[in-house]
Amino acid sequence: MACTHALLCTQKRRLILVACALLFLAGIVALAFFLGKHHHSEIPPENWKGAGTTADLYEIILGRCDDYVMFVNPGVRNKDCRKLYQLFKASVMKRNQCNITTVDYEELFQFSSSPIPCNQSLLWSKTSDLAHLYAKSVPNILTLEDTLLGYVANRLSWCGHSSNSGWNYKSCPARYECDNNPVSAFWRTASAHVSGSFAKQACGVVHVMLNGSIPAGAIKPDSIFSSVEVPSLDPVRISEVRIWVMDNIDGPDRNSCSSKNQTDLEAKLLERNISSICVDNYWPVHILQCVRTPNESACKSKTG
Ligand code: N1C
């Protein structure tokens, strides 16, 4: 209807303006509320101190797995790498990332494990680079990283979210934040907890490479080697454990076979009816250290 009286017209216009302003304000409040809520749900609820999931995790896992089953160990050619990835992911997704256990990884390990030949296992603690260099250099020595899952997961970092099924690329729980983080739980499971895991399968002569240069002693009680692998060794299947205590090539020499750490380890093995011998700076490994760094004084021959 047309507006005939000037005063009425002004009041009507004011009313319309006020209504519009109110509607506009309500819209802004609703939008802010929605955005705030939406934004909040996109922030990962978990903010950890450790490095996040390795970029391109899917491609790396699939690539490594295909490489392993086709070329590294064609004996396991029948393993389906896509299925392996799915099981890997399902092991940690939508779970509390500080409460991942062997049970979560069990299906993955059951699917992926394969037999390990006797006399070939090499366990290690705080000697990762040297142990893997040695395993690559000599025939018939295998570390956990020479098995399918060890090969696939080596040096990777990963974790999910408790509320959704995506990887958390921003951060993952560091070891000091919680023991039952996805990566530590994975290596514990791979090392010992499930049947078919690396230490449980070890048989015949078992090799161990330890670090003679680290401050806290060659073997820390909370290391995977001490707390998980040693208790899982099977006395019935093992004939002898050969321990090599390797100093870093540039020293220092803090631990040797006669150090308490070593004698304790040998006693612990003996208690379980497993005999062992210990060698300081086992020379074939020492030679490898020198191939890498020939100018170190420890590598110069006495005759020059
Ligand atoms: O805790 P550690 O070593 O004593 O564990 C080493 C022991 C080896 O004999 C392996 O069989 O446990 C197995 N293992 C791995 O193979 C492995 N690859 C990579 C254990 N840990 C492994 N990693 C990562 O290194 C993982 O993130 C874990 O937390 C560290 C442990 O290294 P360590 O303390 O030197």
Side-chain angles (χ1 to χ4, degrees), residues 144-159:
L144 177 50
E145 287 73 7
D146 297 307
T147 65
L148 174 58
L149 275 179
Y151 189 84
V152 162
N154 195 15
R155 297 194 307 273
L156 298 181
S157 166
W158 66 90
C159 65

Side-chain angles (χ1 to χ4, degrees), residues 234-253:
D234 181 350
V236 177
R237 294 162 56 85
I238 293 174
S239 53
E240 183 177 73
V241 172
R242 286 185 195 155
I243 305 162
W244 306 322
V245 182
M246 302 302 305
D247 295 335
N248 295 341
I249 199 65
D250 53 352
D253 174 12

